[in-house]
Amino acid sequence: MKRGDKQCLALMDAGKWISSLFTSYFCPWFLPSRSATPPRTSTSVDGVCFLEVVKSQPNDPVVKMKGTMTRGDLTLNWTHHDSDLPDFCFHTIQQEDVSQVSDFLLKYFFPEEPLGQSLKLDPNEEVRPWLPKMLEHEIREGLSIVVRRRSASGEESTSEDVGEVVAVCLNDVERTVSDAEDVNIFSFVTRDSQPNMWKITRVLDELVAEADLFNCYQIEALVSCQMLCVDPRFGGRGLAQKLIRLTEDLTRTMDYSLIISEATSEFSARAFLKAGFHCQKTLPYDTFAFDDGEQPFRQLASTSVHKTARLMVKYIK
């Protein structure tokens, strides 16, 4: 990605028990040079992740990552079961999840995010056209997690809503090389066709301006937590914090060391602070303005608890 022209939004709101987050792709793609890694299957129980290395055969396909590097997908078929949350199953998002995850975010994430609420964003008009394509891109990185409902015993239930999506965490990897195949929100969002979404991208662009995280932390890649959303019916059970911790586990598995997120709500900032993140930069809504002088979020700052956007960062090694 190139700064200023490749970004994806990430915003978060925990009102009505929703912990949601939408962060931007703000850094150029970087691709470190690594040899291909044998593919693995992975599962975890009670927070402990187990990886099984599968010996590669000469003709086995290898996942092609952005740029020039190839690798096996370390998190393909990764699942997590937790005795503290027996009603839920966690797994990395696959192609067959795209439609349900997209519908889930359109229903629970975008209508509740404070900047979108302030602008009266219409998700069906300004988000639905590009969201599935972004999700398909996330699958390639193998770091995004979907949570589905299951019975307390772990057995299949006859209830028609067993298997429904109850939470989602979308994560991407930022690198410092360009990737011609990368899907970015600016391929779809323009000032004329998606004016409200475009305004949100400007906030996120400003928030990360001059934040040279690669040089600051001497890294070549980082994980960007883009969206974190929990169905309000299942709020208060620790799903958001669990998803953040599992993101950290997957980040370590993939040998990355920095996670970032852009929190646009007061609640999201608190959630990440609780998870051990620190705030690297703030952007007050009451002073944010476009070149023409428009201040679209000034009223939000004066009438709600959401006063500022924050760049949240956690170094995990």
Side-chain angles (χ1 to χ4, degrees):
M1 293 183 179
K2 297 180 180 178
R3 186 188 302 271
D5 69 5
K6 281 195 173 184
Q7 295 144 330
C8 283
L9 302 177
L11 316 147
M12 179 176 178
D13 189 14
K16 301 180 182 179
W17 291 104
I18 295 180
S19 283
S20 11
L21 175 74
F22 190 28
T23 44
S24 69
Y25 298 149
F26 59 88
C27 298
W29 284 104
F30 178 89
L31 193 56
S33 177
R34 303 183 197 170
S35 60
T37 305
R40 306 179 183 183
T41 57
S42 171
T43 186
S44 60
V45 179
D46 291 346
V48 179
C49 183
F50 300 93
L51 294 175
E52 179 183 356
V53 178
V54 181
K55 185 177 180 180
S56 296
Q57 300 300 321
N59 296 324
D60 281 351
V62 181
V63 176
K64 180 72 165 61
M65 288 192 70
K66 305 173 183 64
T68 60
M69 183 181 66
T70 60
R71 64 165 173 83
D73 193 345
L74 299 181
T75 58
L76 184 65
N77 298 324
W78 175 93
T79 60
H80 174 86
H81 304 286
D82 198 307
S83 59
D84 292 332
L85 295 165
D87 296 340
F88 309 103
C89 178
F90 303 75
H91 67 85
T92 47
I93 296 176
Q94 305 298 325
Q95 182 64 43
E96 58 267 25
D97 300 312
V98 169
S99 178
Q100 289 186 10
V101 169
S102 180
D103 288 343
F104 176 84
L105 293 171
L106 289 167
K107 181 177 181 179
Y108 293 114
F109 177 78
F110 290 98
E112 298 295 334
E113 191 281 317
L115 299 187
Q117 281 190 332
S118 177
L119 295 170
K120 295 180 172 57
L121 174 75
D122 184 345
N124 285 318
E125 291 291 328
E126 299 199 31
V127 179
R128 185 179 290 277
W130 54 263
L131 183 58
K133 296 180 181 179
M134 190 185 76
L135 292 174
E136 291 173 356
H137 163 72
E138 303 306 323
I139 293 172
R140 291 160 48 187
E141 294 293 355
L143 291 169
S144 296
I145 306 168
V146 59
V147 185
R148 291 184 178 275
R149 189 178 181 186
R150 59 183 295 172
S151 65
S153 65
E155 301 295 331
E156 286 295 327
S157 168
T158 58
S159 174
E160 64 179 10
D161 59 1
V162 164
E164 69 175 317
V165 174
V166 300
V168 169
C169 184
L170 298 186
N171 301 302
D172 196 22
V173 179
E174 307 291 348
R175 304 177 179 90
T176 57
V177 294
S178 298
D179 175 19
E181 297 179 355
D182 182 40
V183 174
N184 67 92
I185 193 171
F186 283 88
S187 301
F188 313 106
V189 175
T190 66
R191 190 169 192 172
D192 292 332
S193 59
Q194 291 96 5
N196 293 318
M197 183 60 70
W198 182 87
K199 290 179 180 179
I200 295 173
T201 67
R202 297 305 94 198
V203 173
L204 299 173
D205 187 40
E206 178 69 20
L207 181 60
V208 300
E210 301 180 1
D212 191 355
L213 296 172
F214 294 109
N215 285 331
C216 179
Y217 289 91
Q218 292 297 293
I219 57 174
E220 298 175 335
L222 59 82
V223 172
S224 172
C225 183
Q226 297 171 329
M227 297 187 198
L228 176 62
C229 182
V230 178
D231 184 327
R233 296 174 299 161
F234 300 94
R237 304 191 191 188
L239 286 173
Q241 288 296 312
K242 172 60 71 173
L243 283 168
I244 295 174
R245 290 194 295 272
L246 290 176
T247 293
E248 294 181 17
D249 292 342
L250 291 174
T251 297
R252 293 186 181 94
T253 297
M254 302 294 284
D255 201 28
Y256 302 123
S257 58
L258 189 72
I259 307 175
I260 65 107
S261 188
E262 288 177 277
T264 59
S265 81
E266 178 65 23
F267 304 119
S268 64
R270 293 174 187 174
F272 278 89
L273 288 171
K274 182 178 180 180
F277 286 65
H278 75 269
C279 179
Q280 182 136 337
K281 183 179 177 180
T282 62
L283 180 66
Y285 293 140
D286 61 351
T287 59
F288 175 80
F290 293 117
D291 292 340
D292 60 5
E294 180 188 2
Q295 294 180 282
F297 306 110
R298 190 170 185 176
Q299 184 175 5
L300 174 67
S302 64
T303 59
S304 74
V305 299
H306 311 295
K307 310 294 184 184
T308 183
R310 296 176 176 89
L311 177 61
M312 310 301 294
V313 177
K314 185 173 185 179
Y315 190 74
I316 62 173
K317 283 190 178 181

